[in-house]
Amino acid sequence: MSHRSRRVLATGAVLAAATCAVVTGAPPAQAATTAHCPTSTSFVLLPTGQGYLFPNLTASATACGFVDNGAPYRFTIDKATSTVITGGGQSREYTVENLRTECTHAGVSDGYVRAFGCHVP
């Protein structure tokens, strides 16, 4: 094979690879909503010590600067309070500072962000 033939084949291979890269492109970015809230509250209907203490949250939409960009919903909360309702009608309150949580559903109602399906990412 001549030197010129090798150069043409090499150029063709580079063009084919570049065309393939342009056509396929990068995968689309996953939508996500990120918000920082000074406070939030949660209510849990589980016996103490079982499950995640913040499976839902309620916070001021204005204070969080909440703009819905789609799931997943990621929240950083300075002071999160959860009330766990245990058997026998008793309850216990837990407070966590700098909580980071990710939720599957969120929306605004009456000026409050209400998020569900939350867990530690």
Side-chain angles (χ1 to χ4, degrees):
M1 186 181 288
S2 72
H3 182 66
R4 180 182 164 122
S5 296
R6 280 188 230 142
R7 191 175 340 153
V8 169
L9 285 174
T11 302
V14 169
L15 286 173
T19 302
C20 183
V22 170
V23 172
T24 58
Q30 183 179 7
T33 300
T34 303
H36 175 257
C37 305
T39 62
S40 75
T41 58
S42 299
F43 292 93
V44 184
L45 301 173
L46 295 174
T48 303
Q50 294 181 7
Y52 180 51
L53 292 176
F54 299 90
N56 57 67
L57 66 87
T58 301
S60 165
T62 304
C64 295
F66 183 79
V67 176
D68 192 343
N69 292 316
Y73 298 93
R74 297 180 181 123
F75 294 92
T76 301
I77 303 163
D78 294 337
K79 184 177 180 182
T81 303
S82 182
T83 301
V84 177
I85 300 171
T86 61
Q90 297 178 342
S91 64
R92 178 151 185 203
E93 193 170 278
Y94 296 88
T95 300
V96 174
E97 294 183 359
N98 298 315
L99 175 70
R100 292 180 189 272
T101 190
E102 184 173 295
C103 308
T104 56
H105 304 292
V108 176
S109 175
D110 297 326
Y112 290 92
V113 176
R114 299 183 198 290
F116 304 93
C118 304
H119 63 280
V120 176

